[in-house]
């Protein structure tokens, strides 16, 4: 570890700091991946609610993926310009704002804009989570750390449609967007 800020946090919290970072990184990434798949379940309901066709509603998924890809490419610039902590917190804030926009949207254009913001946040958090894990675990423990992290990332897409369906059945499409806000907070 050559980062003085990380060394100071290890001095303050001890070895358990690794697990604080791991839990935070996994929770953020899990939220992003869950949201990506939960929203897909709500597409037919959203089409009916706003009276739009497949040609318009597909932008909920396409906008998210495109924005996520762009922000992944800009991740290094954000980290160098603002630091890891500010980038991570900023990305989570952008993601939460996008979730609120999607959940409170009164038309499809606002909802698509919210999904694009969510994609921007997700694209910053996902690679940053792995970088954080690599910085806090020594080389001989990184395989185990990435394995645990990978389990969360692999399980999330399978849980997303189930959780999204439960939210649709129990509540309405708004809650598919709101579900990720507590995690972002």
């Amino acid at each position: 570890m050559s980062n003085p800020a990380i060394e100071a946090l290890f001095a303050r919290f001890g070895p358990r700091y690794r697990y604080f970072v791991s839990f935070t990184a996994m929770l953020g990434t899990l939220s992003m991946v869950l949201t990506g798949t939960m929203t897909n379940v709500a597409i037919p309901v959203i089409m009916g609610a706003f009276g739009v066709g497949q040609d318009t509603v597909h932008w909920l998924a396409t906008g998210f993926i495109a924005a996520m890809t762009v922000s992944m490419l800009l991740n290094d610039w954000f980290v160098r310009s603002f630091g890891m902590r500010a980038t991570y917190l900023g990305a989570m804030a952008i993601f939460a704002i996008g979730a609120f926009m999607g959940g409170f949207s009164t038309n499809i254009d606002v909802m698509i804009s919210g999904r694009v913001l969510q994609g921007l946040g997700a694209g910053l958090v996902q690679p940053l989570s792995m970088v954080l894990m690599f910085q806090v675990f020594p080389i001989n423990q990184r395989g185990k750390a990435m394995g645990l992290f990978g389990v969360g990332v692999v399980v999330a897409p399978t849980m997303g449609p189930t959780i999204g369906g439960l939210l649709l059945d129990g509540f309405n499409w708004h809650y598919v967007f709101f579900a990720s806000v507590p995690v972002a907070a």
Side-chain angles (χ1 to χ4, degrees):
M1 287 174 288
S2 61
N3 188 329
I6 290 176
E7 288 178 12
L9 289 167
F10 266 106
R12 181 175 174 192
F13 295 107
R16 65 182 179 196
Y17 176 67
R18 281 188 184 96
Y19 301 103
F20 292 154
V21 170
S22 301
F23 180 74
T24 303
M26 186 183 284
L27 196 59
T29 302
L30 185 75
S31 173
M32 308 290 171
V33 175
L34 272 173
T35 300
T37 57
M38 276 193 317
T39 309
N40 294 339
V41 175
I43 284 178
V45 177
I46 292 168
M47 287 172 63
F50 291 114
V52 296
Q54 189 84 25
D55 60 325
T56 304
V57 81
H58 81 86
W59 284 105
L60 292 175
T62 304
F64 181 85
I65 292 168
M68 187 171 67
T69 303
V70 168
S71 63
M72 277 184 181
L73 297 172
L74 295 172
N75 192 302
D76 182 56
W77 181 83
F78 276 103
V79 169
R80 289 177 193 265
S81 299
F82 304 107
M84 279 195 190
R85 183 182 176 107
T87 300
Y88 192 90
L89 292 174
M92 291 301 284
I94 289 168
F95 183 81
I97 290 167
F100 275 122
M101 281 179 65
F104 286 122
S105 61
T106 57
N107 64 52
I108 193 69
D109 295 328
V110 173
M111 185 181 287
I112 291 169
S113 299
R115 286 292 286 164
V116 168
L117 282 178
Q118 284 185 305
L120 289 171
L124 290 171
V125 166
Q126 290 180 19
L128 189 56
S129 295
M130 285 195 277
V131 170
L132 288 168
M133 299 279 286
F134 268 54
Q135 285 195 341
V136 298
F137 280 93
I139 292 173
N140 62 339
Q141 292 181 356
R142 285 182 185 163
K144 179 175 75 172
M146 293 314 296
L148 291 172
F149 182 78
V151 167
V153 172
V154 170
V155 170
T158 61
M159 292 173 25
T162 304
I163 295 170
L166 291 170
L167 290 171
L168 283 173
D169 286 346
F171 304 100
N172 58 39
W173 63 265
H174 300 275
Y175 290 89
V176 171
F177 289 93
F178 296 144
S180 61
V181 173
V183 176

